[in-house]
């Protein structure tokens, strides 16, 4: 059923220069839902994110956002509709200050005149008080965890309805990784956002996800519904089992 | 209105006035000044695309060459059909020059700028050589024997005007193109467009997920940069009044444009001005004192400078005086 879904990826097939990576992937995300796609390195998770965002042309299948087919819409237009991505490897602007980074995120709006910009900045600072504390500091001087928060904060400045997160815990110590994922849960609980999360840290992701897909070699191999998420061992087994 | 953000125009204005004053007051220096004006303008036009996007077009000289041809053909055409005042002739040939370069950039950019960084650079390697071979091979626009404009100018306006155009007017027009490029670059960096380009330059994917239409932004800087390069070509045509394919399509211009922007500070507004001045003075002095060996000496010096000052002269000064008035005024 398309109805009620925020994002539906239907039978996605794509790849790079003729080399197919995704083989008929079906993933959907409902309102205020965190859906995690878990899979080992090279499974095709980033490729799925790129296709959803429009960085990569989809060969077959379609992308439905709020009931509308956006398969052929360019990425910057998708952002305007309310989809945005925090790419793998926290690509913040290191030589700009924290606040300049956030304002860059508000690029689509008239920064001086649009009251939404100030509102969104306030939302971000409420979520991440540390960013407000360090607002005039160069972003490159932040710790890894803080940089990830900044990357998420900057994405929030586009005022999205759904946020795509590509391995937000990459390279973070377990404790910090947990903290970052807890703030991801806050995005759902406090802002009502839908989230498509890609992760390799299985157990941490199951703590916050409402639903899980296990991906391997470009295919979705299992889906765990909310009620199954307590069976962590089984999830882990499916994940490692390949 | 926020006038403060226009303060950096003051040092640019002072440098430009000095340049113009030297040209006016010391005609014996006109040779080096016109060389300097050419390189400063070329560097600035090149900087609008490469400095703002970090994309490099290895066939950049094609826009200068096409500007030469465009203006040369326009001049020949208008003088063959009517006898307008000099101003009209020149304005018309400049418009055609800019338009030719603009169209070429639009075609090359619409296809090529969908490619990322290095792939675009590789794709443009053959652009200028290809175009040159096309002209020479098909024999259009005078083919390999070139296009001579001097005669048309003399028969329409007389010998005196001809001398004035190539020795005086061409220099002032080059100055005008330089000022135009400088202003365009400055205004872009202060605009929302420039703001989006800053993001694009740092990370294209991130710029995209902020809602920046990256392909269009790259294309816009490319066509603006190319149109200005075309006008530089028009000025060069007025100076030489003859166009030969090997000189018009000299790959050295592309290389020199890269060197000048790197030397001065890639992506800074004043960088190419400083870089262009330093480069042309160095080149001139070396040509005078070591004729034939200038490139042999220049190359290692420039490599050394680029290694020692990776952010260029302007970048280095800004870093050295961070937070001071100098940092603020030098953009
Ligand atoms: N730019 C690219 N060009 C060609 N192949 C790529 C590219 N990016 C990823 N791949 C290939 O696609 C497959 C999936 O990669 P990716 O989506 O990055 O996996 P994951 O994010 O799950 O680690 C891998 O086999 C990888 O080698
Ligand atoms: Mg990945």
């Amino acid at each position: 059923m398309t109805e009620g879904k925020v994002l539906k990826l239907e039978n996605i097939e794509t790849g790079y220069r003729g080399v197919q990576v995704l083989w008929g992937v079906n993933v959907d995300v409902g309102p205020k839902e965190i859906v995690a796609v878990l899979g080992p390195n090279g499974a095709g998770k980033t490729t799925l994110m790129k296709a959803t965002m429009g960085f990569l042309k989809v060969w077959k299948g379609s992308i439905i956002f709020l009931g509308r087919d956006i398969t052929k819409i360019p990425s910057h237009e998708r952002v305007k509709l309310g989809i945005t991505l925090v790419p793998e490897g926290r690509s913040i602007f290191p030589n700009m200050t924290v606040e300049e980074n956030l304002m860059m995120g508000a690029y689509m709006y008239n920064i001086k005149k649009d009251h939404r910009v100030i509102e969104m900045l306030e939302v971000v600072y409420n979520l991440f008080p540390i960013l407000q504390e360090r607002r005039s500091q160069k972003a490159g001087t932040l710790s890894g965890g803080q940089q990830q928060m900044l990357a998420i904060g900057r994405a929030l400045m586009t005022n999205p309805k759904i946020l795509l997160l590509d391995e937000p815990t990459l390279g973070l110590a377990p404790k910090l990784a947990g903290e970052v994922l807890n703030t991801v849960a806050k995005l759902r609980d406090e802002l009502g956002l839908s989230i498509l999360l890609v992760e390799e840290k299985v157990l941490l992701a199951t703590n916050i996800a409402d639903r899980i897909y296990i991906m391997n070699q470009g295919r979705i191999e299992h889906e765990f519904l909310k009620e199954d998420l307590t069976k962590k061992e089984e999830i882990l087994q499916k994940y490692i089992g390949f | 209105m926020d006038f403060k953000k226009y303060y950096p125009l003051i040092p640019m204005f002072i440098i430009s006035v000095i340049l113009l004053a030297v040209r006016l007051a010391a005609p014996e220096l006109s040779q080096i000044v016109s060389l300097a004006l050419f390189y400063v303008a070329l560097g600035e036009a090149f900087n609008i695309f490469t400095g703002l996007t970090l994309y490099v077009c290895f066939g950049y000289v094609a826009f200068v060459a096409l500007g030469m041809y465009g203006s040369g053909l326009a001049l020949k055409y208008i003088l063959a059909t009517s006898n307008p005042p000099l101003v009209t002739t020149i304005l018309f040939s400049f418009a055609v020059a800019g338009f030719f370069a603009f169209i070429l950039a639009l075609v090359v950019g619409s296809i090529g700028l969908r490619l990322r960084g290095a792939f675009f650079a590789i794709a443009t390697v053959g652009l200028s050589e290809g175009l040159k071979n096309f002209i020479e091979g098909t024999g259009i626009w005078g083919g390999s024997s070139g296009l001579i404009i001097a005669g048309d100018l003399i028969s329409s306006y007389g010998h005196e005007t001809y001398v004035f155009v190539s020795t005086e007017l061409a220099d002032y027009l080059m100055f005008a193109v330089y000022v135009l490029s400088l202003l365009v670059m400055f205004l872009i960096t202060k605009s929302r467009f420039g703001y989006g380009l800053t993001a694009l330059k740092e990370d294209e994917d991130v710029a995209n997920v902020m809602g920046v239409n990256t392909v269009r932004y790259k294309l816009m800087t490319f066509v603006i940069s190319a149109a200005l390069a075309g006008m530089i070509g028009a000025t060069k045509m007025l100076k030489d009044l003859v166009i030969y394919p090997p000189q018009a399509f000299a790959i050295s211009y592309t290389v020199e444009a890269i060197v000048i922007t790197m030397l001065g500070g890639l992506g800074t507004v004043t960088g190419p001005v400083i870089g262009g001045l330093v480069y042309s003075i160095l080149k001139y002095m070396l040509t005078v004192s070591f004729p034939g060996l200038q490139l042999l000496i220049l190359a290692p010096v420039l490599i050394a400078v680029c290694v020692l000052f990776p952010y260029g002269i302007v970048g280095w000064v800004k870093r050295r005086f961070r937070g001071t008035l100098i940092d603020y005024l030098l953009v």
Side-chain angles (χ1 to χ4, degrees):
Chain A
M1 262 209 348
T2 309
E3 254 167 79
K5 291 294 181 190
V6 175
L7 180 71
K8 252 181 101 72
L9 307 173
E10 296 173 339
N11 274 312
I12 301 294
E13 298 197 10
T14 188
Y16 304 90
R17 271 166 254 126
V19 180
Q20 187 155 357
V21 173
L22 299 183
W23 304 81
V25 171
N26 284 292
V27 163
D28 58 64
V29 187
K32 299 186 191 181
E33 193 182 27
I34 297 183
V35 171
V37 176
L38 308 178
N41 199 9
K45 305 182 298 296
T46 298
T47 307
L48 184 66
M49 293 302 221
K50 286 186 186 164
T52 309
M53 205 58 234
F55 295 163
L56 208 57
K57 255 205 196 94
V58 167
W59 300 351
K60 243 188 182 171
S62 41
I63 305 168
I64 312 290
F65 178 65
L66 294 172
R68 176 175 172 190
D69 190 334
I70 59 160
T71 319
K72 299 235 152 56
I73 291 182
S75 351
H76 64 275
E77 296 289 346
R78 297 187 194 193
V79 180
K80 286 177 194 155
L81 294 176
I83 310 177
T84 198
L85 163 74
V86 179
E88 198 173 359
R90 346 170 240 290
S91 20
I92 51 146
F93 304 134
N95 294 318
M96 290 183 207
T97 67
V98 169
E99 192 152 302
E100 281 166 354
N101 264 274
L102 292 174
M103 293 316 263
M104 273 288 182
Y107 177 78
M108 293 187 302
Y109 302 92
N110 185 334
I111 287 168
K112 287 197 187 102
K113 293 198 188 113
D114 200 322
H115 60 93
R116 279 178 295 182
V117 176
I118 300 297
E119 283 166 20
M120 289 183 298
L121 195 63
E122 234 161 71
V123 168
V124 172
Y125 282 154
N126 276 333
L127 271 169
F128 307 110
I130 188 76
L131 294 184
Q132 184 159 29
E133 239 170 76
R134 313 240 151 134
R135 61 201 285 177
S136 345
Q137 212 169 305
K138 286 264 188 300
T141 65
L142 297 180
S143 72
Q146 291 162 357
Q147 289 191 14
Q148 188 59 58
M149 291 177 191
L150 180 56
I152 294 173
R154 192 182 53 198
L156 290 177
M157 295 297 286
T158 65
N159 207 0
K161 298 188 176 76
I162 185 167
L163 191 60
L164 313 179
L165 290 167
D166 194 350
E167 286 202 57
T169 66
L170 190 73
L172 296 183
K175 187 169 167 291
L176 276 176
E179 271 176 39
V180 166
L181 288 185
N182 284 341
T183 58
V184 171
K186 272 166 88 182
L187 301 180
R188 168 195 58 195
D189 302 336
E190 292 176 21
L191 306 180
L193 281 182
S194 302
I195 287 158
L196 181 58
L197 170 71
V198 151
E199 263 300 340
E200 284 181 23
K201 295 196 171 71
V202 180
L203 292 179
L204 281 176
T206 46
N207 285 341
I208 63 157
D210 298 308
R211 213 145 40 83
I212 284 178
Y213 294 97
I214 305 271
M215 188 182 213
N216 192 36
Q217 297 186 4
R219 289 186 169 86
I220 298 291
E221 307 223 323
H222 289 277
E223 182 182 356
F224 288 93
L225 301 177
K226 192 156 187 103
E227 50 272 25
D228 302 327
L229 289 187
T230 43
K231 307 175 196 156
K232 300 219 163 156
E233 272 178 29
E234 195 184 322
I235 296 173
L236 212 54
Q237 237 169 20
K238 292 283 189 238
Y239 180 82
I240 312 169
F242 308 113
Chain B
M1 245 194 72
D2 184 14
F3 284 110
K4 272 217 173 104
K5 72 178 190 186
Y6 296 105
Y7 284 0
L9 283 174
I10 299 170
M12 291 179 217
F13 179 76
I14 295 172
I15 295 176
S16 306
V17 168
I18 292 175
L19 209 56
L20 188 62
V22 171
R23 175 65 183 79
L24 280 167
E28 69 275 13
L29 291 179
S30 77
Q31 207 184 350
I32 179 166
V33 175
S34 42
L35 190 73
L37 283 171
F38 171 73
Y39 282 123
V40 165
L42 183 69
E44 198 66 57
F46 182 79
N47 191 35
I48 290 177
F49 175 59
T50 297
L52 290 176
T53 63
L54 294 186
Y55 274 64
V56 182
C57 174
F58 280 118
Y60 195 75
V61 65
F63 302 120
V64 178
L66 213 58
M68 292 182 76
Y69 275 105
S71 58
L73 293 166
L75 199 141
K76 272 183 170 306
Y77 170 80
I78 198 172
L79 293 185
T81 50
S82 61
N83 206 354
L86 186 63
V87 186
T88 315
T89 308
I90 289 191
L91 283 179
F92 178 65
S93 53
F94 264 69
V96 173
F99 184 70
F100 270 38
F102 170 85
I103 293 295
L104 179 66
L106 196 63
V107 173
V108 173
S110 308
I111 305 163
L113 286 172
R114 289 174 196 282
L115 302 173
R116 289 292 170 94
F119 296 105
F120 173 78
I122 293 165
T124 57
V125 166
L127 178 63
S128 57
E129 281 301 291
L131 210 59
K132 186 186 85 175
N133 292 340
F134 177 75
I135 292 172
E136 288 181 336
T138 58
I140 56 157
W141 302 348
S144 51
S145 40
L147 210 58
I148 297 161
I149 297 101
D152 304 70
L153 210 63
I154 295 171
S155 60
S156 291
Y157 299 111
H159 196 265
E160 220 166 284
T161 308
Y162 153 77
V163 173
F164 166 74
V165 167
S166 81
T167 57
E168 299 286 323
L169 188 65
D171 281 357
Y172 298 114
L173 286 171
M174 191 62 92
F175 180 78
V177 179
Y178 144 71
V179 171
L180 182 64
S181 311
L182 191 73
L183 284 178
V184 168
M185 177 71 185
F186 178 73
L187 292 176
I188 290 177
T189 58
K190 293 289 160 201
S191 69
R192 198 180 117 84
F193 176 43
Y195 200 65
L197 287 169
T198 313
L200 186 155
K201 188 170 152 180
E202 294 263 353
D203 189 319
E204 226 168 305
D205 282 345
V206 173
N208 234 318
V209 295
M210 289 171 6
V212 177
N213 185 345
T214 49
V215 174
R216 168 160 343 140
Y217 273 38
K218 287 184 287 184
L219 189 59
M220 275 167 71
T221 56
F222 194 46
V223 296
I224 293 172
S225 171
L228 288 164
M231 291 186 215
I232 292 169
T235 321
K236 200 165 153 31
M237 182 281 294
L238 287 178
K239 186 140 193 83
D240 305 345
L241 289 168
V242 51
I243 309 167
Y244 293 119
Q247 276 88 346
F249 287 97
I251 289 175
S252 60
Y253 290 143
T254 306
V255 178
E256 284 171 313
I258 296 173
V259 166
I260 287 163
T261 39
M262 298 268 294
L263 186 65
L266 199 60
T268 61
V269 182
T270 48
V273 183
I274 312 279
L277 287 174
V278 171
Y279 179 80
S280 47
I281 291 170
L282 265 179
K283 184 175 173 179
Y284 185 80
M285 290 194 328
L286 288 173
T287 312
V288 171
S289 3
F290 307 98
L293 291 176
Q294 68 268 33
L295 272 183
L296 214 59
I297 303 172
L298 202 53
V301 170
L302 291 170
I303 292 170
V305 173
C306 288
V307 170
L308 289 173
F309 303 100
Y311 300 97
I313 299 168
V314 170
W316 181 81
V317 171
K318 278 178 79 70
R319 273 156 193 266
R320 176 79 182 67
F321 297 97
R322 177 165 288 157
T324 66
L325 189 67
I326 296 177
D327 181 21
Y328 177 70
L329 286 177
L330 199 66
V331 292

